[in-house]
Amino acid sequence: MDEAVKLLRAQMMLSMECLEGLQAVKKALRDNSNGAGVSDAVQALEAPLTKLGQIVGLVDKFLQRVGKKRMTAYAVGMPDSVERDAVMRLLARVQGLENEMQKELASTKVLLKHSKEFADFHINVMTQTAASDTYAPPGAATVENRRGVKMFDANV
């Protein structure tokens, strides 16, 4: 039973570290339009995510050994004790951290999408991708720098 507490504590600590890492990635994306710091933040997040995956694997093995499918079922089946209360508190905290990580991940995905669109736009501008005739000056016979690709439709 002590093993469940150790596993949940390790999972909680790594989840907090992963959450902080996700927040660092999000901050780097939000604060720097040039992408400075994003690579470092992602690399820093890689190690705790790997360790968290290993801990989840150990939890799965533990649950197989005790014959339960979920840690909640294991905790409910424990006799009333201080250890059961500790497992329930840790389990609630781990689940809360997982929910927070999902929210951070969703908002980080949106920021990544916007960053990509921002980069695509600037590449279109730098390569002078031509707009359609709709955007030509009134009375102009031709559009300058015609490349055959409409601005904002060009994929990099």
Side-chain angles (χ1 to χ4, degrees):
M1 289 187 206
D2 188 38
E3 184 178 0
V5 173
K6 287 180 182 177
L7 288 171
L8 286 171
R9 280 188 183 152
Q11 189 174 0
M12 182 184 72
M13 297 303 290
L14 287 169
S15 294
M16 288 188 329
E17 196 173 336
C18 289
L19 183 60
E20 290 171 0
L22 274 173
Q23 290 168 344
V25 170
K26 184 176 170 181
K27 182 180 181 337
L29 285 169
R30 189 178 50 232
D31 293 349
N32 303 310
S33 62
N34 64 358
V38 175
S39 179
D40 293 338
V42 170
Q43 287 177 355
L45 180 60
E46 188 177 340
L49 279 175
T50 302
K51 290 177 186 175
L52 183 60
Q54 292 170 347
I55 291 294
V56 169
L58 292 174
V59 169
D60 289 343
K61 287 179 184 177
F62 170 77
L63 291 174
Q64 285 177 346
R65 199 170 57 247
V66 296
K68 301 291 181 180
K69 292 189 178 192
R70 297 180 50 101
M71 190 62 87
T72 310
Y74 172 75
V76 169
M78 293 173 69
D80 284 339
S81 65
V82 174
E83 188 174 341
R84 178 179 184 246
D85 294 339
V87 168
M88 293 299 278
R89 280 193 310 275
L90 286 169
L91 192 55
R93 181 68 178 138
V94 166
Q95 288 171 345
L97 287 168
E98 286 176 359
N99 290 337
E100 287 181 53
M101 280 193 294
Q102 286 177 345
K103 290 177 187 175
E104 285 294 322
L105 188 57
S107 63
T108 303
K109 282 182 181 179
V110 170
L111 283 173
L112 279 170
K113 181 179 179 248
H114 290 305
S115 293
K116 181 201 174 297
E117 290 169 355
F118 182 75
D120 288 348
F121 170 78
H122 283 286
I123 289 172
N124 283 340
V125 170
M126 289 186 296
T127 60
Q128 299 177 352
T129 303
S132 68
D133 293 338
T134 305
Y135 299 108
T142 60
V143 177
E144 295 178 26
N145 291 329
R146 168 68 71 190
R147 289 189 175 203
V149 178
K150 295 182 180 179
M151 188 163 51
F152 310 116
D153 290 339
N155 288 328
V156 180

